[in-house]
Amino acid sequence: AATATATLLAVLRGASAATGGLRGLDASPTTWEGRGLCGLATDMLDMSDNSMRTYCNMHLGFWWNWDYKPKMAYSSPCSTETFTPMIWGLSAGHQNQASANSVPQTRLMGYNEPDLWGPPAIPGGNCLSSGTFAPTFQCGNDELARDWQALVLAFKAKSPDGLVVSPSMADADPAGTASAGDYSQCNISPQTTENHLPYCGGWLKCFKESVSRFQCGENTNCWEVIDVLQFHAYEYTSENLIKKVKTWETTWAEDLSWANSAKPKSLWLTEFARAGATDSSDPDGKTAAFMDESIAYMKASSVVSGWSWFSQDTTTFASFTIGDLPPASPFWASDLINANGDATVIGEHYASLCKGL
């Protein structure tokens, strides 16, 4: 079991396919308890070599920027060695993006929040979620399933042992469905400004049913090929965040279990941050405590294999209502690395929690 875990951990950290890739996972059951890959979700490293040097000095396991490649050529080798590409949403001809990098990638992340209506939060900004567009929001349509199939096949052709990470779920249903709830209206919603659903509570369940009909390799369908299920969580307290992680562990237990799957999946929490925080110097220590408790739980989980902190500052992190609680300020702060490229107080604390993983 320890050998199998070490093999997957090596691939997650960007090791060469020559180490055996994922094949060792078929040999024996394993657990992620006491382990995990610690990462960073941000576009604040884009176009800043100094910021990238600071990130590399934190010795985290991965970073991603909602794009399929870094935005510049950095001087630090870890910028490419630990980068994880994402295919943001459905678009024509983007299969080439799945294999666009000059060297084989160890991971590929699927569509960003296809379960959420997320138009730009600030004037002139980018759409936040691919679920703003009907072709990606409509979880059961054949166009989306075939696009996923083409992306996976292109990625696997270049990186046969690479990890396939599912589309990322915003999981915004107040009922806390872990994306396995009702999706009866999702496939007919036009997702226009005048007529749209705010979220699809059963997007991933619907997607599983849809892509399972397509092949993504010999004797492997396009759901089975997925190694990791990813989701996002923004909460005011670590208790609520842990509750959400537990819901995912329970809801997707069959897919996460060696008892029920020849190749069980694991979970990544690829965006998380403490809602309501407005100062990355953390004067009251509440963000550090949130990190301590949240990461301690994920480290101890047998099925959570990775997480990445959402790092943005008060110029870009537009606040939003969580549950029935409206935000007290228009912007929040979660930046681990500030606009000058220096590690913040919470950045240094996060790096310390990730040390040795």
Side-chain angles (χ1 to χ4, degrees):
T3 300
T5 301
T7 301
L8 181 52
L9 194 59
V11 175
L12 284 166
R13 285 178 170 158
S16 167
T19 61
L22 298 173
R23 296 188 184 93
L25 287 177
D26 297 329
S28 59
T30 187
T31 177
W32 281 102
E33 186 174 353
R35 304 170 184 267
L37 191 70
C38 215
L40 179 64
T42 188
D43 60 7
M44 291 183 68
L45 303 182
D46 293 350
M47 312 309 294
S48 174
D49 201 51
N50 187 46
S51 295
M52 181 56 69
R53 280 194 296 271
T54 300
Y55 159 78
C56 290
N57 288 334
M58 289 180 167
H59 303 292
L60 303 180
F62 73 107
W63 71 284
W64 62 286
N65 65 352
W66 298 274
D67 207 342
Y68 69 97
K69 62 181 180 179
K71 294 294 179 68
M72 65 173 282
Y74 299 96
S75 60
S76 302
C78 104
S79 62
T80 53
E81 292 169 355
T82 64
F83 178 70
T84 295
M86 166 180 267
I87 304 301
W88 189 84
L90 191 154
S91 64
H94 67 177
Q95 294 87 344
N96 293 334
Q97 297 176 359
S99 57
N101 293 287
S102 58
V103 295
Q105 294 294 308
T106 55
R107 308 168 280 271
L108 179 70
M109 297 170 71
Y111 316 119
N112 186 61
E113 298 184 338
D115 60 330
L116 184 68
W117 170 261
I122 55 179
N126 295 321
C127 276
L128 303 179
S129 308
S130 65
T132 309
F133 305 98
T136 316
F137 188 81
Q138 294 173 356
C139 48
N141 76 75
D142 280 357
E143 180 188 10
L144 185 67
R146 293 188 187 282
D147 185 73
W148 177 252
Q149 179 189 45
L151 289 172
V152 169
L153 291 176
F155 172 65
K156 284 292 191 178
K158 188 165 186 177
S159 304
D161 294 316
L163 288 176
V164 176
V165 185
S166 76
S168 62
M169 297 296 101
D171 189 23
D173 189 340
T177 60
S179 203
D182 178 44
Y183 60 84
S184 60
Q185 300 302 306
C186 303
N187 285 316
I188 58 175
S189 179
Q191 295 304 95
T192 62
T193 302
E194 297 78 17
N195 185 8
H196 63 269
L197 291 177
Y199 57 81
C200 178
W203 196 96
L204 193 60
K205 178 182 178 181
C206 167
F207 184 73
K208 174 181 179 178
E209 294 172 2
S210 178
V211 300
S212 292
R213 299 176 293 119
F214 295 82
Q215 290 300 113
C216 278
E218 187 176 357
N219 300 320
T220 302
N221 69 47
C222 293
W223 175 258
E224 293 170 339
V225 76
I226 294 173
D227 298 286
V228 177
L229 304 180
Q230 63 165 324
F231 63 104
H232 299 163
Y234 295 89
E235 300 289 351
Y236 285 94
T237 67
S238 58
E239 291 83 2
N240 285 343
L241 184 135
I242 291 168
K243 180 181 178 181
K244 188 166 190 174
V245 176
K246 287 181 176 179
T247 300
W248 275 79
E249 291 173 326
T250 302
T251 302
W252 294 96
E254 183 173 349
D255 287 278
L256 301 170
S257 171
W258 280 93
N260 300 308
S261 174
K263 189 186 77 170
K265 308 180 193 312
S266 62
L267 296 174
W268 277 12
L269 179 58
T270 48
E271 287 183 26
F272 77 112
R274 176 179 161 248
T278 57
D279 187 345
S280 57
S281 71
D282 197 26
D284 57 11
K286 289 183 178 180
T287 297
F290 178 93
M291 287 179 172
D292 291 343
E293 293 154 8
S294 300
I295 293 175
Y297 179 83
M298 291 188 285
K299 281 183 182 179
S301 172
S302 63
V303 295
V304 177
S305 64
W307 51 87
S308 51
W309 182 265
F310 177 82
S311 178
Q312 297 292 135
D313 65 19
T314 53
T315 66
T316 56
F317 191 178
S319 60
F320 51 91
T321 297
I322 297 177
D324 296 325
L325 186 61
S329 57
F331 289 90
W332 293 332
S334 62
D335 47 318
L336 303 187
I337 300 170
N338 64 27
N340 294 323
D342 301 318
T344 63
V345 170
I346 62 171
E348 292 175 348
H349 188 70
Y350 184 75
S352 73
L353 295 174
C354 297
K355 188 175 181 180
L357 288 176

